[in-house]
Amino acid sequence: MKKIKLEILGLSPSQSQAGSFALVLGEELGNRRLPIIIGVFEAQAIAVQIENIVPNRPMTHDLFKSFAEGMNYTLKEIVISDLKEGIFYAKIVCKDSLREVEIDARPSDAIAIGLRFDIPIYTYEAILSEAGIISSSISEDEDEDEEDAIKETLQSRGSLTDQMRDLSYDELQRMLDDALTKEDYEKAAKIRDEMGRRN
């Protein structure tokens, strides 16, 4: 299968799940985004490396790096390898002088480790097709009255999931574009899931 290179676009607190963050990956040569919900500790491990902060004591991912280097292992790449029932899976591909090994890992841990080794992150087309969100900005010429009507309808109903069931596919697409523009990736992921259920 052809691999697609990803880059980290952002890390933002979850607006509906306390203690969770949305890690947003984007395809390097395209406009699709892959939001992954991760825990606070994993988010911290990623943020520390992105911001080049050196902690007083090594974090778990730093220990992994020291261990791998001490054992003469080279990390080659991180692959977001699978998506089952809404859960992402990843592989850390590493090698020594004799063999190449794939280690199963949570995507958040794999990415935190990958950042420490400065190695690329990949996924497969099937995963991006299933869980990716196409980023397109809403044009300013879009009919604002229609957008306001959708918001008004949503405010008068229950949860976001219940609200989305009654909307048309085009209305969902506008909501998705709006969520992406506002960088509300968690909401965008929920809208994407509802749109996926209809296909």
Side-chain angles (χ1 to χ4, degrees), residues 11-170:
L11 186 61
S12 60
S14 169
Q15 294 177 357
S16 67
Q17 294 179 3
S20 295
F21 284 77
L23 171 64
V24 183
L25 305 172
E27 65 180 324
E28 187 179 57
L29 302 174
N31 64 346
R32 289 180 291 181
R33 307 289 185 254
L34 191 64
I36 300 174
I37 304 302
I38 63 173
V40 67
F41 297 112
E42 294 82 3
Q44 180 185 21
I46 290 169
V48 160
Q49 192 62 31
I50 289 173
E51 299 295 327
N52 292 317
I53 298 168
V54 180
N56 294 336
R57 302 291 299 144
M59 297 178 76
T60 306
H61 304 94
D62 301 315
L63 291 174
F64 181 92
K65 182 178 183 191
S66 297
F67 175 80
E69 288 174 343
M71 301 301 288
N72 294 319
Y73 273 96
T74 304
L75 268 67
K76 181 180 170 186
E77 64 192 20
I78 302 300
V79 180
I80 309 298
S81 57
D82 208 350
L83 174 63
K84 295 177 186 170
E85 298 177 12
I87 299 171
F88 290 94
Y89 295 81
K91 302 276 186 202
I92 302 170
V93 182
C94 50
K95 60 183 180 175
D96 63 9
S97 58
L98 301 175
R99 62 193 170 137
E100 186 170 289
V101 178
E102 291 184 353
I103 300 171
D104 184 36
R106 295 183 303 177
S108 54
D109 289 326
I111 290 167
I113 289 168
L115 285 169
R116 283 157 173 78
F117 283 89
D118 195 27
I119 58 174
I121 303 166
Y122 294 98
T123 193
Y124 299 113
E125 176 61 39
I127 293 171
L128 261 182
S129 294
E130 183 178 343
I133 297 170
I134 297 173
S135 175
S136 61
S137 42
I138 300 172
S139 69
E140 291 179 25
D141 300 335
E142 187 111 36
D143 185 6
E144 288 183 18
D145 293 336
E146 204 170 314
E147 204 173 299
D148 291 339
I150 292 170
K151 286 179 186 171
E152 202 172 293
T153 304
L154 291 177
Q155 288 169 355
S156 66
R157 296 186 191 156
S159 73
L160 178 63
T161 306
D162 293 336
Q163 296 166 8
M164 290 188 301
R165 287 190 189 119
D166 298 330
L167 296 176
S168 71
Y169 196 85
D170 288 340

